[in-house]
Structures are given as structure tokens and as C-alpha cells.
Amino acid sequence: LRRTAVGKLRIEDAVTFEALQAQGASALKSMDCLLEDLPRLDLERGQASQFLIGAQVALPGGPEGACRVYGEDGLLGVGRLADGRLQPVRSVARG
């Protein structure tokens, strides 16, 4: 069994281990490339801290449903916005 695609990532776009060694991180796609179809929400610092600990964040007027969530340092994870409340679904590990 050989996997030839995951979502929009295709085997044709893969890089070899040798190319990865030679090019380093520049050979890798961004972590959020699979989330590009979701609406983007940018949070302020306090909101981002709440999101990362799993707390709901008040966000009236945002797009309802699943969204990709960003803070000052980049992608925070995926959330679901309903009734003006953003509920974290998945957080990205921070180094």
C-alpha cells in the first residue's frame, strides 16, 4: 500500500530526504497549507492565550463554523465559531 495523496498534498510535490537535507526547512510546506480553505481569524494576545489553554473566546461578528486561528506568532490551531464564541478544536504545539 502506497499513499499518493493526503488532502491537497500529492506525491508529485514530495521532496526526497536528500533534497530536504540540502534545502533544509525551505523545502517544507507551511503547517497551515492544509487549512487554507477555512476562514482565517486573527486574535489579539489575550485572546490567543485563552484559546491556547482551551477556553472559549468571545468574538462577535466572525464567520460561523470551523476556522483557522492565528495570533502574533502565527498559527494557533483550528476553532469553531458559533453564536459569537470561538471554541478551540485543535491547538498547535508551541515550542
Side-chain angles (χ1 to χ4, degrees):
L1 181 64
R2 181 174 185 207
R3 186 176 301 248
T4 59
V6 175
K8 60 173 97 174
L9 300 179
R10 304 281 175 242
I11 193 75
E12 297 82 20
D13 301 322
V15 295
T16 65
F17 183 67
E18 292 76 19
L20 181 58
Q21 285 181 313
Q23 297 174 23
S26 67
L28 301 176
K29 292 195 178 277
S30 66
M31 191 175 2
D32 60 347
C33 73
L34 291 174
L35 305 174
E36 292 173 345
D37 294 337
L38 296 176
R40 177 181 174 136
L41 283 178
D42 289 282
L43 301 181
E44 296 174 4
R45 181 174 291 179
Q47 294 170 318
S49 296
Q50 292 297 321
F51 181 88
L52 287 174
I53 63 169
Q56 286 188 358
V57 178
L59 279 178
E64 295 279 313
C67 53
R68 54 190 167 129
V69 181
Y70 293 80
E72 292 177 350
D73 298 327
L75 180 66
L76 301 177
V78 175
R80 178 164 300 284
L81 188 62
D83 300 323
R85 308 288 299 169
L86 176 64
Q87 177 65 49
V89 175
R90 291 279 184 258
S91 296
V92 175
R94 312 296 290 172

